[in-house]
Amino acid sequence: MHYLSTRGHPERKRFCEILLEGLAPDGGLYLPERYPRIDAATLARWRGLAYHDLAYEILALYIDDIPAEDLRALCARTYTEAVFGTPEIVPLKALEPGLYLQALSNGPTLAFKDMAMQLLGQLFEYELERRGEELNILGATSGDTGSAAEHAMRGKKGVRVFMTSPHGRMSPFQQAQMFSLQDENIHNLAIEGVFDDCQDIVKAVSNDLEFKRRWRIGTVNSINWARLVAQVVYYFAGYFQATRHNDERVSFTVPSGNFGNICAGHVARMMGLPIDRLVAATNENDVLDEFFRTGVYRVRGSADTFETSSPSMDISKASNFERFVFDLVDRDAARVRALFGDALVTEGRFALDEALMRRAREEFGFASGRSTHADRLATIRATWDAHRRMVDTHTADGLKVAREQLQPGVPMIVLETALPIKFAATIVEALGREPERPPKFAGIELLPKRVTVLPAEAGKVKDYIAAHCG
Ligand SMILES: *Cc1c(COP(=O)(O)O)cnc(C)c1O
């Protein structure tokens, strides 16, 4: 299997070459040159597999430069009951007839990013050791991504993590999840500023190519193809749990920000998984809902990017969206270049015509909806009252939109992307009670913290990295 850039760069690469990279050299995103189609016999065989075996079968279609037995072992080591809490790994729970929640948030940091990041940790360690190389991951986080990355990379050979976060701005629980890690290869840098300052610092350091090369700086952001392909697996696992036969169809509603999660659903559908519709649920930062409703993709400035109570979906643009548009325009790279490389850069927006938008809905199955803070509170309350189930704020956005998109006879699976304990303040606002806390997280706020506070200056972060590599 070879990978190409959505913007037409002539080079073709193998999986392990793009594993440790970010964007393609022309600024595009990597995609496989084709999606393997799953025939009926294969789908029937997969139905009976344990999660880690299913993961192996799917990943093996995209990764042919890691020996089969090694890949199988990596999957088996990643997706265990000890790490993800249940033998199903992503258990499906019926809320009411035809409406399900699929739990993706029982990993080490209680958010769906663990599903991919845990595998990435294994893949990085494996590939770096094979090459005899080291990698220093530099990132910026306002919560979920940073803690998932740290918990995936802790103790891994050849990898160090330098994670910047806005000093004093994450919830006490989220701070504890990151700062209580005592592993030597994990470095928490609390930046005296806001999340944007952290992102600017990461950008400034990465743009210093000499520094980046000398200190082997890399990232683990959501455009990484390995993360995306790991997420394809749970769409299959959700489908098998919601159906009895492979002639049934299901729909998924996905709380969406950077379009990474739902893009994995798109890939699963392209492989032939019988998905009827893929519904993108956004919060007040409705870049994606606006696109699917109007055909206009409009990047937001910082003045109209809102801080919401589902903060992991507070985006100004959807970094993985280009992958879907590439498929939507029949993989016409020149057209993608004109849209994302030109129109978006100069005008901050582009519009697709009605024929393409019909295609997005009818051929590719996309739909969308939007949810506000008031909707979130109402959904959390209604779900608690009716089912005695607490859902987190992102999952609540998904549930609200899913109910608007239900179709008779088609089971709807809402992806549960985090547990309520991560966003306790909003749960208390909605229910007047504290969220449930899984026992192993009791008292984590009281553990000793390992964090360095730095001013919002790229130079200071570079000094820190240089002093702690080697
Ligand atoms: C990251 C995240 C999302 C958004 O996922 P995308 O892949 O960016 O669309 C939704 N919910 C939670 C809890 C997250 O951490």
Side-chain angles (χ1 to χ4, degrees):
M1 176 67 81
H2 287 86
Y3 291 85
L4 43 73
S5 164
T6 51
R7 298 200 188 168
H9 195 282
E11 211 176 339
R12 295 291 176 270
K13 294 191 171 174
R14 309 282 296 275
F15 177 82
C16 287
E17 294 178 274
I18 64 168
L19 172 64
L20 303 170
E21 282 181 34
L23 294 173
D26 56 359
L29 280 69
Y30 287 113
L31 272 179
E33 57 191 350
R34 61 188 172 79
Y35 299 113
R37 289 288 298 187
I38 305 310
D39 61 27
T42 306
L43 200 61
R45 184 167 62 78
W46 285 1
R47 183 175 275 280
L49 295 182
Y51 192 89
H52 62 90
D53 287 327
L54 180 63
Y56 165 73
E57 295 284 339
I58 292 171
L59 293 172
L61 298 172
Y62 293 95
I63 305 175
D64 53 12
D65 49 353
I66 294 178
E69 61 275 23
D70 291 357
L71 186 59
R72 198 183 272 286
L74 291 172
C75 291
R77 217 178 298 149
T78 302
Y79 297 111
T80 65
E81 183 175 352
V83 173
F84 287 95
T86 64
E88 298 89 355
I89 308 296
V90 289
L92 196 72
K93 290 163 234 170
L95 216 45
E96 52 204 54
L99 183 60
Y100 299 87
L101 283 179
Q102 186 179 355
L104 306 181
S105 43
N106 295 320
T109 73
L110 308 181
F112 93 96
K113 291 186 175 67
D114 291 328
M115 296 304 307
M117 211 68 94
Q118 286 288 316
L119 181 75
L120 205 64
Q122 298 286 350
L123 286 169
F124 273 28
E125 183 176 57
Y126 176 87
E127 181 60 15
L128 288 167
E129 181 174 5
R130 192 157 73 161
R131 296 184 189 187
E133 288 178 10
E134 292 193 351
L135 187 71
N136 294 304
I137 294 166
L138 174 63
T141 190
S142 53
D144 289 350
T145 307
S147 58
E150 291 189 353
H151 283 259
M153 302 297 167
R154 61 186 294 202
K156 294 283 186 297
K157 290 187 286 293
V159 190
R160 287 184 203 86
V161 177
F162 297 89
M163 190 57 66
T164 62
S165 59
H167 183 43
R169 286 178 191 257
M170 288 188 299
S171 73
F173 186 85
Q174 285 182 313
Q175 289 184 39
Q177 279 189 311
M178 291 176 56
F179 301 168
S180 66
L181 291 182
Q182 299 298 327
D183 308 76
E184 261 178 46
N185 69 330
I186 303 296
H187 299 269
N188 289 300
L189 306 178
I191 302 296
E192 293 172 324
V194 294
F195 176 57
D196 277 343
D197 296 314
C198 301
Q199 278 192 309
D200 288 346
I201 288 171
V202 171
K203 242 180 253 166
V205 175
S206 304
N207 287 341
D208 182 343
L209 296 182
E210 164 61 26
F211 184 90
K212 192 176 170 196
R213 194 187 46 75
R214 167 146 191 231
W215 298 107
R216 310 204 53 83
I217 304 291
T219 57
V220 287
N221 51 29
S222 80
I223 57 154
N224 184 294
W225 168 257
R227 274 181 70 177
L228 204 140
V229 74
Q231 293 169 182
V232 171
V233 179
Y234 54 69
Y235 284 87
F236 282 84
Y239 172 79
F240 291 137
Q241 291 178 80
T243 59
R244 296 163 73 103
H245 302 287
N246 294 338
D247 52 3
E248 297 171 50
R249 297 170 77 76
V250 305
S251 291
F252 286 91
T253 299
V254 187
S256 294
N258 273 320
F259 206 76
N261 194 349
I262 198 167
C263 194
H266 164 67
V267 172
R269 198 173 183 277
M270 297 297 278
M271 293 171 71
L273 186 66
I275 295 175
D276 189 39
R277 291 205 293 169
L278 287 165
V279 183
T282 74
N283 63 19
E284 291 89 335
N285 297 293
D286 57 357
V287 181
L288 291 169
D289 181 45
E290 180 176 87
F291 171 78
F292 285 111
R293 273 186 301 105
T294 67
V296 175
Y297 181 67
R298 181 171 61 91
V299 168
R300 309 293 158 83
S302 50
D304 37 36
T305 305
F306 309 110
E307 270 187 42
T308 75
S309 46
S310 44
S312 298
M313 291 156 40
D314 292 349
I315 47 96
S316 56
K317 62 181 170 57
S319 348
N320 275 289
F321 183 59
E322 183 171 331
R323 288 192 159 112
F324 167 64
V325 172
F326 184 64
D327 287 337
L328 181 62
V329 299
D330 275 330
R331 302 201 144 201
D332 177 347
R335 185 136 185 220
V336 170
R337 211 160 50 235
L339 293 172
F340 286 88
D342 298 334
L344 214 52
V345 175
T346 54
E347 289 153 47
R349 54 177 275 150
F350 63 73
L352 300 185
D353 61 42
E354 185 44 39
L356 274 181
M357 293 313 295
R358 197 172 322 119
R359 202 161 176 230
R361 287 187 292 269
E362 289 167 15
E363 233 172 274
F364 292 90
F366 274 91
S368 72
R370 171 183 194 275
S371 162
T372 65
H373 182 70
D375 294 324
R376 234 162 272 142
L377 295 181
T379 303
I380 291 168
R381 240 176 250 139
T383 310
W384 176 253
D385 289 346
H387 308 289
R388 279 291 175 268
R389 257 198 83 105
M390 276 191 200
V391 291
D392 104 287
T393 51
H394 308 76
T395 309
D397 290 331
L399 257 180
K400 185 263 180 184
V401 171
R403 286 187 191 282
E404 298 164 351
Q405 298 283 345
L406 289 175
Q407 285 175 307
V410 184
M412 173 66 85
I413 300 175
V414 179
L415 299 185
E416 179 177 61
T417 55
L419 290 196
I421 183 68
K422 299 200 82 171
F423 305 96
T426 309
I427 302 298
V428 171
E429 187 182 346
L431 302 178
R433 64 165 74 209
E434 291 288 331
E436 301 132 358
R437 177 181 291 236
K440 66 178 171 182
F441 294 88
I444 63 164
E445 291 90 340
L446 303 173
L447 294 173
K449 295 191 167 57
R450 195 161 169 274
V451 56
T452 303
V453 181
L454 290 177
E457 292 169 40
K460 290 281 193 293
V461 171
K462 283 185 191 173
D463 291 346
Y464 183 95
I465 293 173
H468 291 84
C469 288

